[in-house]
Structure formats: structure tokens, C-alpha cells
């Protein structure tokens, strides 16, 4: 099929219509180009903001580490031989428990496992016979020996008893001493003098095996290796333990006895670790400097070009707040240690922190607790019965008054007119008591002649066994039932459920119930919710104090005291950045969301403009194609008319 001439650009008109259309579309694509430039700018801004958010997160994590202060609790452990030539111990320390000190340790004997052996047999596959048949227990696990059992099948039975959740903890193996002398060896898994406990329960199988003598006592020949306790001294004080891992001698220190040498003494040294907290502090300083350097870069114009976040309000706010987080003085601290500069951390004119290693090391060695407070959160309370339960996640430094409108109380019921001696009457009586907190109940039988003290004793015994947190006491001959816990959930219910009403002196003939009260009041003037004796500022009470909680065990109401919170640099940075990094309402999430929405809007605009330009191109091409078609038709008509005129002219000339 021949393609019409009009389908080719400008073949009829002589005009390059496709180029003309491209030029028209290009002239009308300026808004599209601007939108694409804006997309590039927002994309660069968002990429830079992602880097910014990562640096903020790194600083927050480093701040949390120094604020938590675990590094300040670390204790290093060293050991050296001071007498003899052999180091016989390994030691580790638990942070926050172990304390600095030196100890002299000498190990004279390691703990050993017990090993028992049967008498030898010529062939471990030969039946043991009737003399060994019967049942015995090994560490409480029962093993039955059949007359047809061999030493090998008995080994398998013993090892089967050493499986499961209640295993015997004794393994069995065959030992070939020599030709015709094969023995069964029992090895206790636990070191110590106690060893394995054997007992015959049917027959005399342990005699037949050569483990017991005729008096059913362990034969000396059966003892291949006696179980022994470890023997050692610490600073001359003798110790004996069943194992070689000792965790209950020096508080916070685990000793592992690795050898025995009565002539060797090892000096154990526990010292405060300065390397770990120094490293945590350095990482905090580095993270701060990395973020501060990035913020400075965003405010630096290079070759006339401004960085992507040069005019970003969120970044600018950080530039103003960061120094306040770090350089502020610690509330209530002694003047000589109330700022980071006092321990060798200073800031230069560009806002960069630097650490003077020698001063920091000295501070950690001589003023460790004060240095720790410079980074962490310290809470205290003044007022009888008042203590701080939690400082919340976002609360900043300050003093917050505590006002109590109702003190917490526990549920309690007391009999009235009892008289001190019980009279059940004709029908035996049963007193039912319920703990409203856990819904557990007890039934206590009451008999005629029981005194109030007798009844209280019976109730306390039953309540303790059943898990009720209720105490019964004799108060002037009357029975008082009181919950141990404070709060609305700590209720007491008491009633006679059998035999009520036919005795002269009975208890709680009608149902008696008493619920406690939760504490109520305010902290720092903000509404708080009580649960038991704990009062917590409501989440809706304002982000500044949300989560701050106190415990109040007193009975007075009104203004009862003050909570004081002092935040060091690490805690200030952590709490401040936690707010910024909040995924729902934080400034960083909000700003990132704005950039994301802006980018989405621009991308939608680009799609719209591209679609509009494509439709414009199609329309122009159609219009020019129609023009070419019209010109082609006109040219054909013109040629036809010209040809007709020429024919007529020729005809007239011939006539």
C-alpha cells in the first residue's frame, strides 16, 4: 500500500511541520522544566535531610548511652601471682555490683566429680543374673535391673535415666581395665562432696553389682574417685564450695578456679574502669561534632551555591538549641562540677567540642559520681513519704510541687461486738475471705471456743498458702482483715457462708466488703492519675511533664513536698532529641513529611504537564496533517483544472 504524501512532514507544503511542532511544544514546556528543576531541588533537600536525621539519631543514641551511665559502673579485674608461680583463678566482675578492692586468693583443692565403679565382668554382653536383679534409685530416678540384663544394657538404662527434665545427672560408661575385666563406671555431672545418691528399693541389685556391701553401704573399692568440694582461701579466710565457679564469695565477682596449688597465692585487683566511660563520652562528643559540622556546612555558601538545607527552619532550630543542651549548668550541682568544662570538655568558636583527656581521666578517677551526674538524670524528693518513681521520657530539669487531695489506702474490715471468743452455735461455721485484687478465696472453719487470736492465726495460715495478700490481726478482741497493698484494687470481702446466725458470738454474719483508694493529686500543677500509691502525670496533661510519677506512702493531704529533677548534658540531649525524633509529632518527622508531600505534588504536576504537552503535540500534528491533506487536494484540483483548460485551448487552436 502506498503511503499518502500528506503523511510525510511538509512534503506538500514544503514546511518541516514536525520540527515546527517540536519548537512549539518546547516553547510551551517551560512550566514542566521548572517543575522538574523543583523536583531535583526538593530531592536534594530530602537527601540532605535524611543525612541530617541520621546524624541526629546517632547523637541521640550516644547521649542515651552516657545518660544511662552503665559505663560508669564498669570494674576491671586483674590478677597476678604474688606467692609461688601458678595463677589458679579467673575472675569477672558484674557492673554496678562489684566494688574496687584487692584480695589474696589461694586454691588448695578443686571441686571434683564422684566416680563409682562396679566389680569387673569377663564379658559385658553376658547376663548379670538373679543376684543383680532388682530396683534402685540414682539421684531419685528409678532403674530396674533384670536378671537377663548385661552390663551393656544396664549402661543404656542408666543413661536413659539421665534424660528428660528430671534426669539423674549421672552418666554411665564401660571401662576395660584389662582382659576379662570390664567395669561399669558411673560419673556424677555435679562436682562436690555430695556426689550421687544411691538407694535400693527392691532386691539387692547394688550388692550384686559390687557397689554396696552387705550392710548396704558404699564399698570403698567402688569409689573410683571421691567427689570433693573446692577448698580455697580469700585473705586467709577458708571457703568450701561444691563447684569451681564461685559467685557467692566476693560480692559482684565470679571466680573460676582453674588449678590447685597450696603454695601459690594470687592477688585479685578490682579497679574502676575509666576506659569505658571515657570511650562513651568521646563517642558522645564525636556525634555532637558531626551534627554541628553538618549544620555549619548547610550555612556555608560555596562558589555562589547555597547548600540544600541552608534555609531550612528545622535545621536552623537545631543550630540554636544544640549548645544549650550541652553547655548548660547542672541544676543543684556543686560549683566545681556543674558544667562539662569542669571535667575537660570545652567548646571552640565554631561550636566544636573537644576533650582534654588528662582532665577527664582525673575527673573519672577522683569525682566519678559527680562526673556521672553531669551526663545523667538525677531525681530527688523532699517530703515525708514522698519518692520519685519515674522521671518520664521528656521531662526537663526543674522543681515540681506535689499536692495530694487523697492519700492511698488499703481495703480493711473489722468485726464489731465479737467479744473475743467464738460461739458457733449448733451449726459449724465457715468464714469465706476473698482478695479482691487477685480474686482468690479461702474458707476457714470456725469452732466454738476459738479466740480472736486463734482465728487470726488460722486465717493467716490459709491466706499464706493460697496467695491472698490479706493479714488478720486481733485488735482489742475484734478481728481485723486488712489488705497489704494500697489502692482501689486492694479490697477485702468477708462473710459467713455456713452456720451463720445460730451462735451467740459470730463474725461477719452479713457480707462485709471494703475497697481501698488510689492516691489522687497533681504534680507541678498538672493533672495526674493514681494507681495504688503511685501518681503519674497524664499523657494529656502536657508533654513537659507527661510520665513523671511519684510514690506517696504518707497519709497527709495538701502540699506535701517537691520533686526535683536535674538533667546532665546526655539526658538533656536525649530527651530533647527524643521529642524531635518522635515519629508522629516530632519536628524531624513533620519536616520530612512536608518534603515528601511537596515532592509528591511536584511529581503529580510533572505527570499532568507531560500529559498536557503530549496531547498538545498530538493535536498540532493532526492539524498540520490536515493542512497537508488540504494542500494536496487543492494541488490535485488545480492540476486538473489546468489540464482541462489546456485541452480546451488545444481544441480551439485546431479548429
Amino acid at each position: 500500500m502506498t503511503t499518502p504524501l500528506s503523511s510525510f512532514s511538509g512534503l506538500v507544503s514544503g514546511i518541516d511541520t514536525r520540527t515546527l511542532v517540536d519548537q512549539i511544544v518546547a516553547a510551551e514546556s517551560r512550566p514542566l522544566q521548572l517543575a522538574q528543576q523543583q523536583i531535583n531541588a526538593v530531592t536534594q533537600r530530602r537527601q540532605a535531610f535524611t543525612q541530617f536525621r541520621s546524624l541526629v539519631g546517632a547523637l541521640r543514641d550516644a547521649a542515651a548511652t552516657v545518660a544511662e551511665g552503665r559505663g560508669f559502673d564498669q570494674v576491671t579485674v586483674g590478677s597476678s601471682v604474688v606467692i609461688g608461680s601458678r595463677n589458679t583463678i579467673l575472675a569477672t566482675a558484674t557492673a554496678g555490683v562489684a566494688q574496687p578492692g584487692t584480695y589474696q586468693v589461694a586454691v588448695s583443692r578443686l571441686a571434683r566429680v564422684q566416680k563409682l565403679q562396679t566389680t569387673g565382668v569377663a564379658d559385658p554382653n553376658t547376663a548379670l543374673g538373679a543376684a543383680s536383679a532388682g530396683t534402685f534409685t540414682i539421684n531419685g530416678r528409678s532403674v530396674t535391673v533384670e536378671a537377663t540384663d548385661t552390663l551393656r544394657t544396664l549402661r543404656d538404662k542408666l543413661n536413659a535415666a539421665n534424660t528428660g527434665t528430671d534426669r539423674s545427672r549421672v552418666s554411665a560408661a564401660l571401662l576395660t581395665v584389662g582382659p576379662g575385666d570390664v567395669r561399669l563406671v558411673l560419673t556424677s555431672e555435679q562436682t562436690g562432696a555430695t556426689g550421687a545418691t544411691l538407694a535400693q528399693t527392691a532386691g539387692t541389685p547394688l550388692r550384686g553389682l559390687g557397689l554396696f556391701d552387705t550392710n548396704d553401704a558404699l564399698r570403698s573399692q567402688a569409689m573410683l574417685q571421691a567427689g570433693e568440694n573446692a577448698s580455697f582461701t580469700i585473705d586467709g579466710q577458708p571457703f568450701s564450695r561444691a563447684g569451681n565457679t564461685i559467685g557467692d564469695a566476693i560480692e559482684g565477682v565470679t571466680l573460676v578456679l582453674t588449678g590447685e596449688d597450696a603454695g601459690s597465692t594470687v592477688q585479685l585487683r578490682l579497679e574502676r574502669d575509666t576506659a569505658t566511660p571515657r570511650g562513651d563520652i568521646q563517642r558522645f562528643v564525636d556525634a555532637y561534632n558531626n551534627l554541628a559540622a553538618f549544620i555549619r556546612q548547610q550555612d556555608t555558601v560555596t562558589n555562589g551555591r547555597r547548600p540544600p538545607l541552608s534555609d531550612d527552619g528545622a535545621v536552623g532550630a537545631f543550630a540554636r538549641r544544640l549548645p544549650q543542651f550541652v553547655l548548660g549548668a547542672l541544676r543543684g550541682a556543686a560549683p566545681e562540677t556543674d558544667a562539662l568544662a569542669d571535667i575537660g570538655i570545652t567548646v571552640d568558636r565554631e561550636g566544636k567540642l573537644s576533650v582534654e583527656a588528662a582532665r577527664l581521666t582525673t575527673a573519672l578517677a577522683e569525682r566519678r559520681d559527680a562526673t556521672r551526674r553531669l551526663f545523667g538524670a538525677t531525681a530527688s524528693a523532699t517530703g515525708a513519704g514522698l519518692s520519685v518513681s519515674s522521671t518520664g521520657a521528656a521531662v526537663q530539669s526543674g522543681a515540681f510541687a506535689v499536692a495530694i487531695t487523697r492519700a492511698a489506702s488499703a481495703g480493711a474490715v473489722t468485726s464489731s461486738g465479737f467479744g473475743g471468743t467464738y460461739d458457733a452455735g449448733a451449726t459449724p461455721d465457715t468464714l469465706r475471705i476473698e482478695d479482691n485484687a487477685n480474686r482468690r478465696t479461702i474458707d476457714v472453719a470456725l469452732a466454738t471456743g476459738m479466740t480472736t487470736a486463734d482465728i487470726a492465726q488460722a486465717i493467716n495460715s490459709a491466706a499464706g498458702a493460697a496467695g491472698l495478700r490479706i493479714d488478720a490481726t486481733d485488735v482489742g478482741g475484734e478481728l481485723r482483715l486488712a489488705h497489704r497493698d494500697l489502692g482501689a484494687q486492694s479490697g477485702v470481702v468477708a462473710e459467713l457462708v455456713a452456720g451463720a446466725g445460730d451462735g451467740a458470738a459470730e463474725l461477719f454474719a452479713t457480707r462485709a466488703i471494703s475497697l481501698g483508694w488510689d492516691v489522687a493529686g497533681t504534680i507541678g500543677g498538672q493533672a495526674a492519675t493514681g494507681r495504688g500509691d503511685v501518681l503519674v502525670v497524664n499523657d494529656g496533661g502536657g508533654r513537659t511533664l507527661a510520665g513523671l510519677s511519684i510514690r506517696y506512702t504518707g497519709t497527709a493531704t495538701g502540699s506535701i513536698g517537691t520533686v526535683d529533677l536535674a538533667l546532665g548534658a546526655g539526658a538533656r540531649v536525649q530527651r530533647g532529641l527524643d521529642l524531635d525524633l518522635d515519629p508522629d509529632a516530632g519536628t524531624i518527622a513533620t519536616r520530612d513529611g512536608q518534603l515528601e508531600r511537596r515532592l509528591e505534588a511536584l511529581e503529580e504536576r510533572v505527570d499532568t504537564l507531560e500529559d498536557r504537552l503530549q496531547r498538545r503535540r498530538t493535536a498540532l500534528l493532526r492539524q498540520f496533517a490536515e493542512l497537508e491533506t488540504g494542500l494536496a487536494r487543492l494541488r490535485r484540483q488545480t492540476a486538473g483544472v489546468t489540464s482541462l483548460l489546456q485541452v480546451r485551448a488545444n481544441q480551439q487552436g485546431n479548429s
Side-chain angles (χ1 to χ4, degrees):
M1 177 179 180
T2 303
T3 303
L5 292 175
S6 60
S7 67
F8 293 92
S9 175
L11 290 180
V12 177
S13 65
I15 301 172
D16 187 355
T17 56
R18 289 194 179 276
T19 300
L20 182 59
V21 168
D22 289 341
Q23 292 173 346
I24 293 172
V25 171
E28 295 178 0
S29 66
R30 181 59 179 165
L32 175 62
Q33 295 170 3
L34 291 175
Q36 289 172 334
Q37 291 173 2
Q38 290 174 330
I39 285 178
N40 292 335
V42 174
T43 299
Q44 291 177 5
R45 174 168 288 198
R46 198 171 183 209
Q47 290 172 345
F49 200 81
T50 298
Q51 183 182 359
F52 171 69
R53 179 171 54 188
S54 176
L55 292 170
V56 172
L59 176 57
R60 185 267 172 207
D61 293 342
T65 298
V66 292
E68 188 177 19
R70 290 188 179 181
F72 292 91
D73 294 327
Q74 298 295 324
V75 174
T76 61
V77 182
S79 63
S80 59
V81 179
V82 293
I83 299 176
S85 59
R86 186 179 182 188
N87 193 328
T88 56
I89 63 170
L90 294 174
T92 57
T94 301
V97 181
Q99 300 299 318
T102 58
Y103 303 90
Q104 304 281 327
V105 182
V107 182
S108 57
R109 185 176 65 235
L110 293 175
R112 291 180 173 81
V113 298
Q114 182 190 66
K115 289 188 175 184
L116 304 176
Q117 63 177 351
T118 64
T119 52
V121 298
D123 185 356
N125 298 311
T126 300
L128 295 172
S132 297
T135 303
F136 67 92
T137 60
I138 180 166
N139 284 348
R141 288 293 300 267
S142 181
V143 178
T144 298
V145 185
E146 306 289 347
T148 55
D149 275 332
T150 66
L151 210 60
R152 192 177 299 279
T153 59
L154 178 56
R155 176 204 63 185
D156 295 340
K157 286 184 175 181
L158 285 164
N159 286 331
N162 191 29
T163 60
T165 57
D166 187 29
R167 58 196 185 93
S168 67
R169 298 188 181 278
V170 176
S171 62
L174 296 178
L175 178 66
T176 302
V177 178
D181 188 0
V182 181
R183 306 176 188 184
L184 185 65
V185 176
L186 309 181
T187 303
S188 173
E189 294 180 1
Q190 296 176 318
T191 56
T194 302
T197 301
L198 297 169
Q200 297 178 130
T201 56
T204 57
L206 297 178
R207 292 187 196 176
L209 293 169
L211 294 170
F212 276 9
D213 59 22
T214 55
N215 295 319
D216 288 338
L218 190 66
R219 297 175 65 235
S220 59
Q221 298 92 328
M223 186 66 74
L224 185 61
Q225 177 178 289
E228 292 184 296
N229 285 352
S231 294
F232 59 99
T233 63
I234 300 177
D235 292 339
Q237 174 67 40
F239 287 81
S240 177
R241 295 291 188 271
N244 292 315
T245 299
I246 318 299
D248 62 350
I250 304 172
E251 184 180 24
V253 177
T254 299
L255 296 174
V256 179
L257 310 184
T258 60
E260 54 186 39
D261 188 344
S264 291
T265 298
V266 178
Q267 179 170 277
L268 188 66
R269 298 180 308 280
L270 304 177
E271 299 174 337
R272 290 291 187 192
D273 177 15
T274 59
T276 298
R278 195 168 59 242
D280 291 342
I281 292 170
Q282 185 62 57
R283 281 186 287 275
F284 170 71
V285 168
D286 291 342
Y288 178 93
N289 286 337
N290 290 339
L291 178 57
F294 178 86
I295 292 174
R296 285 196 302 273
Q297 290 172 1
Q298 299 308 306
D299 198 32
T300 303
V301 178
T302 304
N303 297 327
R305 300 185 62 182
R306 302 187 67 85
L309 300 179
S310 60
D311 58 348
D312 194 284
V315 176
F318 268 81
R320 294 186 296 272
R321 292 164 57 211
L322 271 182
Q324 299 172 6
F325 282 151
V326 173
L327 301 178
L330 178 64
R331 175 183 173 84
E336 62 271 16
T337 317
D338 69 348
L340 294 185
D342 296 323
I343 60 172
I345 301 176
T346 56
V347 61
D348 61 19
R349 280 186 245 175
E350 294 185 350
K352 181 180 179 180
L353 296 179
S354 61
V355 180
E356 189 178 337
R359 287 185 65 188
L360 179 58
T361 300
T362 300
L364 288 170
E366 299 177 358
R367 295 172 289 164
R368 192 181 194 86
D369 291 339
T371 301
R372 180 178 191 157
R373 285 194 292 273
L374 281 175
F375 292 95
T378 305
S380 60
T382 56
L386 182 64
S387 61
V388 180
S389 181
S390 171
T391 62
V395 184
Q396 298 299 314
S397 298
F400 312 106
V402 178
I404 301 297
T405 56
R406 182 183 63 222
S409 64
V413 295
T414 305
S415 65
S416 177
F418 173 54
T421 303
Y422 201 77
D423 179 7
T427 306
D429 293 349
T430 300
L431 177 64
R432 177 166 295 168
I433 300 171
E434 179 182 351
D435 183 335
N436 187 68
N438 55 29
R439 299 299 181 184
R440 296 181 180 180
T441 62
I442 56 171
D443 288 341
V444 180
L446 304 179
T448 298
M450 293 179 72
T451 65
T452 307
D454 294 334
I455 297 172
Q457 182 178 357
I459 292 172
N460 288 334
S461 177
L468 275 69
R469 294 185 57 77
I470 294 174
D471 294 322
T473 55
D474 178 354
V475 180
E478 298 295 338
L479 180 67
R480 175 177 171 79
L481 302 175
H483 207 284
R484 297 175 194 167
D485 301 326
L486 300 173
Q489 298 298 316
S490 58
V492 178
V493 182
E495 64 177 324
L496 285 177
V497 294
D502 62 350
E506 295 183 337
L507 288 167
F508 307 115
T510 60
R511 180 181 175 87
I513 181 171
S514 174
L515 302 178
W517 290 98
D518 291 324
V519 64
T522 61
I523 304 176
Q526 294 195 15
T529 299
R531 184 172 179 85
D533 57 3
V534 175
L535 191 64
V536 185
V537 175
N538 301 332
D539 289 342
R543 291 174 63 84
T544 54
L545 295 183
L548 178 62
S549 64
I550 58 95
R551 183 179 297 276
Y552 179 58
T553 57
T555 58
T557 58
S559 179
I560 55 91
T562 302
V563 170
D564 195 285
L565 179 62
L567 299 182
R572 286 196 297 267
V573 170
Q574 177 192 354
R575 290 172 182 239
L577 299 190
D578 275 342
L579 293 176
D580 291 303
L581 291 167
D582 187 306
D584 297 321
T587 56
I588 288 180
T590 300
R591 184 63 181 131
D592 190 49
Q594 292 171 346
L595 291 173
E596 182 180 14
R597 289 189 294 274
R598 175 61 175 159
L599 189 60
E600 290 173 350
L602 287 170
E603 289 173 343
E604 289 179 2
R605 175 165 175 74
V606 165
D607 290 341
T608 300
L609 291 173
E610 286 179 339
D611 180 66
R612 183 183 301 167
L613 288 172
Q614 183 60 40
R615 285 187 280 109
R616 175 67 168 152
R617 177 187 296 276
T618 301
L620 287 172
L621 288 173
R622 185 183 302 112
Q623 291 172 2
F624 278 110
E626 291 173 352
L627 174 63
E628 291 287 329
T629 301
L631 288 174
R633 186 182 303 113
L634 179 61
R635 180 169 293 182
R636 287 195 300 271
Q637 291 174 349
T638 301
V641 170
T642 302
S643 177
L644 180 59
L645 292 174
Q646 185 63 46
V647 170
R648 288 183 177 180
N650 292 335
Q651 289 175 346
Q652 291 175 354
N654 293 328
S655 61

